[in-house]
Amino acid sequence: MMRCDILTLFPSMVKSVLETSMMSLAQAKGLLDVTVIDIRSFTHDRHRTADDRPYGGGAGMILKPEPILEAIDSICATHPNTRIVMTSPRGRKFDQAYAQKMSEDSHRLVFICGHYEGIDERVHMIMATEGRKVDEVSIGDYVLTGGELAALVMIDASVRLIPGVLGSTNSVKEESFSSTLLEYAQYTRPVELRAARVPDVLLSGHHGAIRKWKHRSSLASTYARRPDLLTGRALAHADQLILTDIQKEEDTEKSDSPRRLSS
Ligand code: ADE
C-alpha cells in the first residue's frame, strides 16, 4: 500500500489522471491511497495568493513558503511518518530503483509540486531543520511548467511495482530495467503481416528455446538502442558469446535490430 499526498496549485489536473486506468484501479484495490491538496486552501488572503515576486529581481514568480509549510504541518500533525518529495529539475534523478524504493516505502509520501520559477528556498531549509525527511527529485534533464506531471510520473512508475496492481507479477519481473536489459521484441496475432512473420520459435511451444530467444532478443535490443547499459556491466560468459554473435550478425547486416540513421 502506497500512501501519498499531492500538494498542488492545480488539483483538477492531478485528479483527472488519478481517476484513470491503473491509478484508479490501484486505488479501488486499496493498494494506493492519494489525497490531493490545494495549496491555495492554506492561504489566508482574499485573493488566495500562493506566489509572489522574487527578491533581487528576475523573471517569473516564486511560490510563497507559508502555505506550503502550513500544509505540511497539517499533514504531519495527523501522519508523523512522512517523507517529503519536492519535485524539481535540480533534484536527484528519478529511476527504476527509486520507483522500487517508493513502492515499498512505509512513509506517507508528500509530493510538493513546484510551479512558476520555483519555491522559496526556505521551505526546503525549514523542513530539513525541523528534522523532516526531504528528497528533491527530478524526472529528467528538462524543465516542466510544474511538478504535477513529475509527481504523477513517479507515482505511476511506483504503483505498478506494488504486488497485485498489475495482472501478473511476471510482467514486472521480465521487463526493461528490472534486469537492466531492455525488453525483448513482442508479437501478437496475426502470424504474418505484410510478409513480416512472427519468429517461428515463438510459435513452437518449446519453452526452453523461447526463453533463450527472448534473452537474446533483450541483449540485441539493448546493444542496438542502449549500449551504455552494457558497458561497465559484468556480463556472464554465455552472454558475452551471444553478444559477439549479435555483433557479427550486425556486421553482416543480417540483424533485425533497427538501423541507426546516419547523421
Ligand atoms: N519541475 C519542473 N521540471 C521538473 C523536472 N524535470 N522534474 C521534476 N520536477 C520538475
Side-chain angles (χ1 to χ4, degrees), residues 60 133 229 256:
K133 298 187 180 78
L229 294 177
D256 64 348

Side-chain angles (χ1 to χ4, degrees), residues 85-262:
V85 182
M86 300 183 76
T87 60
S88 162
R90 73 178 191 186
R92 61 156 287 182
K93 194 87 66 76
F94 183 76
D95 59 12
Q96 191 68 14
Y98 199 95
Q100 186 67 46
K101 212 179 81 177
M102 267 190 175
S103 75
E104 294 166 0
D105 204 326
S106 61
H107 293 92
R108 195 177 178 90
L109 302 172
V110 183
F111 291 87
I112 304 178
C113 304
H115 245 274
Y116 310 124
E117 289 306 308
I119 302 175
D120 187 300
E121 190 65 29
R122 289 167 296 182
V123 170
H124 189 279
M125 216 172 76
I126 290 169
M127 286 191 302
T129 310
E130 288 177 352
R132 305 206 195 281
K133 298 187 180 78
V134 190
D135 284 357
E136 263 190 305
V137 191
S138 163
I139 60 162
D141 290 336
Y142 40 81
V143 183
L144 304 166
T145 57
E148 284 75 11
L149 291 172
L152 290 167
V153 162
M154 292 185 227
I155 295 171
D156 186 281
S158 305
V159 98
R160 60 188 294 289
L161 299 175
I162 300 173
V165 170
L166 296 186
S168 154
T169 46
N170 282 344
S171 45
V172 166
K173 275 202 207 106
E174 279 184 11
E175 75 194 357
S176 304
F177 297 111
S178 295
S179 59
T180 61
L181 286 183
L182 300 185
E183 231 175 322
Y184 47 82
Q186 302 256 41
Y187 302 86
T188 185
R189 291 186 291 182
V191 167
E192 192 159 333
L193 177 71
R194 303 187 193 188
R197 270 185 67 78
V198 174
D200 286 332
V201 60
L202 297 180
L203 313 173
S204 70
H206 191 313
H207 298 302
I210 291 173
R211 206 167 36 247
K212 270 191 193 159
W213 183 91
K214 285 180 173 177
H215 183 62
R216 185 192 163 94
S217 170
S218 276
L219 272 170
S221 176
T222 310
Y223 177 67
R225 295 172 174 86
R226 292 288 306 276
D228 58 298
L229 294 177
L230 296 173
T231 50
R233 177 189 150 133
L235 281 183
H237 183 61
D239 284 353
Q240 282 290 2
L241 294 178
I242 299 171
L243 207 54
T244 310
D245 203 43
I246 291 166
Q247 285 161 339
K248 260 193 233 148
E249 254 187 32
E250 196 171 69
D251 289 345
T252 53
E253 294 202 302
K254 268 190 288 178
S255 168
D256 64 348
S257 42
R259 199 144 295 141
R260 273 175 232 130
L261 294 173
S262 48

Side-chain angles (χ1 to χ4, degrees), residues 38 55 79 238:
D38 188 346
Y55 275 119
H79 307 285

